[in-house]
Amino acid sequence: MTSNFIDYVKINLRSGRGGSGSSHFRREKHVPKGGPDGGDGGRGGHVYIVGNSQHWTLLHLKFQKHIIADNGKGGEGGRRSGLEGEDIFIEVPLGTIVKDAETNEFLAEVTEEGQKVLLLPGGRGGLGNTHFKSSTNQSPRHAQPGEAGLERWVVMELKVLADVGLVGFPNAGKSTLLSVLSAAKPEIADYPFTTLVPNLGVVAYRDYKSFVVADIPGIIEGAAEGKGLGLRFLRHIERNSILCFLIPSDAENWGDEYQILVDELEKYNPELLHKRRVLVVSKMDLSIPEMEEEMRESLPKDLPLVFISSVTNTGIQELKDLLWETLQEENKDVAKQVESSIEILPPAQLATDPQEEIE
């Protein structure tokens, strides 16, 4: 597979060591017994990750196995502090999570443009001997060494951010549908697992509106246990606002196929079942209209259902309308949750006079 889609990297990170404090005494011609004037060492460089929407994969980090920040410089006489080590800023695509490679501990998550998260702080610089002078020790000859930097192996995983995730068995018509909905050009062929990496497409809607659709590689029964492409791409479904299940009209049993997909998502992450779902029966050009009622009976009644054909463009506009309406409903629910989490103080607890609040 010669693909530039890299969604998993393992990297060794090391922050900088702090500079040593200086043990120095003031020596000038007309200043006898000038006393200690050693400066502090500079701190070591920090290691940050920063969200950058211009990156779509972790390809730029694939061959960087070690990322090391600069050490701080030592202090000097005249109470001159050493320079701080240069910080390292690792740019990652939105949707990246960082875990400790040994313990699998969650460390950070980047979902917004410009979001900056400190992964490893640099070591503190040591204090110069000027800090240790006292009435009983007027000539301290010792200074602190700088603190060592931190080091750890981390795993970075990318979970594709999209409004709609296309979920279905291999050869369900997901790639073809994506190519019809958007300008994306995924690989399309008549054999299973044609799609080996997630593909994103921007769907143009009415009045210059748009939303993003992700074509997730095919799921098979047992994917949650590692069969087929296994867990490698199931994690990308976690970041989709709504899920669009594709069931081909030529499936042996439409209801069973849908249930298998739901079961695999539940085994991987039960929270996925809380997402809004849309049902789509694809490849209707291979079926006859009289079979639609039979399909409706075998599929869940509580989910919106659309019959489409990507080849003849049948039902495509209806699907766009349904996806857009479902997205708006999801956004309203999210807004309500945010509002309910904000505590609003009663008027009696609010200061009417700004001066009273200051006092």
Side-chain angles (χ1 to χ4, degrees):
M1 184 177 86
T2 59
S3 171
N4 288 333
F5 184 85
I6 305 298
D7 60 352
Y8 180 98
V9 293
K10 183 178 180 180
I11 304 176
N12 177 260
L13 304 178
R14 189 192 311 168
S15 60
R17 182 186 184 88
S20 300
S22 172
S23 178
H24 188 272
F25 291 87
R26 185 178 180 186
R27 291 292 182 265
E28 294 182 29
K29 184 175 182 180
H30 301 292
V31 184
K33 300 180 180 180
D37 68 346
D40 301 337
R43 70 156 175 84
H46 298 324
V47 179
Y48 294 92
I49 57 170
V50 183
N52 186 340
S53 59
Q54 300 303 311
H55 288 295
W56 289 87
T57 73
L58 297 171
L59 177 64
H60 61 294
L61 299 175
K62 180 179 180 181
F63 302 105
Q64 296 188 45
K65 290 300 181 184
H66 299 272
I67 298 179
I68 303 172
D70 287 342
N71 296 327
K73 306 301 180 183
E76 299 179 358
R79 298 185 181 181
R80 291 190 293 265
S81 298
L83 292 174
E84 295 181 348
E86 185 176 355
D87 296 335
I88 295 291
F89 296 92
I90 305 173
E91 294 186 343
V92 296
L94 307 187
T96 299
I97 63 172
V98 184
K99 297 180 181 179
D100 187 284
E102 297 180 357
T103 65
N104 206 36
E105 175 191 1
F106 175 85
L107 300 177
E109 178 180 19
V110 176
T111 57
E112 299 178 2
E113 172 72 19
Q115 180 183 351
K116 184 168 67 173
V117 180
L118 176 63
L119 287 182
L120 295 180
R124 292 181 298 180
L127 299 177
N129 65 343
T130 185
H131 291 274
F132 303 103
K133 62 184 178 181
S134 66
S135 59
T136 58
N137 185 13
Q138 297 182 0
S139 302
R141 298 186 179 276
H142 67 277
Q144 287 182 337
E147 285 186 350
L150 301 178
E151 181 178 4
R152 75 194 319 168
W153 283 90
V154 300
V155 167
M156 296 187 183
E157 295 181 354
L158 171 62
K159 297 182 180 180
V160 169
L161 292 169
D163 298 311
V164 181
L166 301 181
V167 182
F169 275 68
N171 270 20
K174 301 185 299 298
S175 298
T176 306
L177 176 59
L178 181 66
S179 67
V180 173
L181 289 174
S182 69
K185 303 297 181 185
E187 183 179 353
I188 300 172
D190 58 352
Y191 54 85
F193 295 112
T194 307
T195 302
L196 296 177
V197 299
N199 293 302
L200 293 178
V202 178
V203 179
Y205 193 61
R206 296 185 176 96
D207 300 326
Y208 302 101
K209 299 172 183 175
S210 63
F211 54 92
V212 179
V213 176
D215 170 20
I216 308 299
I219 300 173
I220 64 172
E221 188 172 6
E225 286 81 35
K227 293 184 179 179
L229 294 177
L231 303 175
R232 182 177 178 187
F233 296 113
L234 274 174
R235 63 173 174 268
H236 293 294
I237 302 176
E238 293 181 274
R239 295 299 179 83
N240 303 147
S241 298
I242 64 175
L243 301 180
C244 179
F245 287 80
L246 259 72
I247 309 297
S249 64
D250 57 353
E252 294 183 3
N253 189 302
W254 308 287
D256 290 348
E257 187 159 318
Y258 168 76
Q259 193 57 49
I260 291 173
L261 293 173
V262 172
D263 291 343
E264 291 304 319
L265 296 186
E266 184 178 16
K267 291 176 185 177
Y268 174 71
N269 184 353
E271 293 184 4
L272 292 176
L273 300 187
H274 299 305
K275 293 182 179 291
R276 291 182 181 271
R277 299 175 228 169
V278 171
L279 266 176
V280 175
V281 177
S282 61
K283 302 184 180 181
M284 287 303 294
D285 54 293
L286 302 179
S287 179
I288 56 177
E290 289 74 12
M291 294 183 64
E292 287 191 13
E293 190 60 34
E294 185 180 349
M295 295 176 189
R296 289 183 186 275
E297 290 298 324
S298 64
L299 292 170
K301 309 295 189 299
D302 57 338
L303 296 179
L305 175 62
V306 180
F307 295 91
I308 69 165
S309 170
S310 300
V311 175
T312 62
N313 273 356
T314 303
I316 296 300
Q317 188 57 51
E318 182 183 354
L319 176 59
K320 287 184 179 181
D321 294 338
L322 177 59
L323 293 177
W324 179 259
E325 292 172 4
T326 308
L327 278 173
Q328 300 316 300
E329 294 174 0
E330 176 66 19
N331 292 337
K332 289 179 182 178
D333 288 347
V334 172
K336 289 180 180 179
Q337 293 176 6
V338 172
E339 289 178 1
S340 62
S341 64
I342 299 176
E343 181 181 1
I344 301 177
L345 296 176
Q349 298 184 25
L350 297 177
T352 56
D353 186 357
Q355 189 63 31
E356 293 180 5
E357 189 174 350
I358 296 175
E359 293 175 356

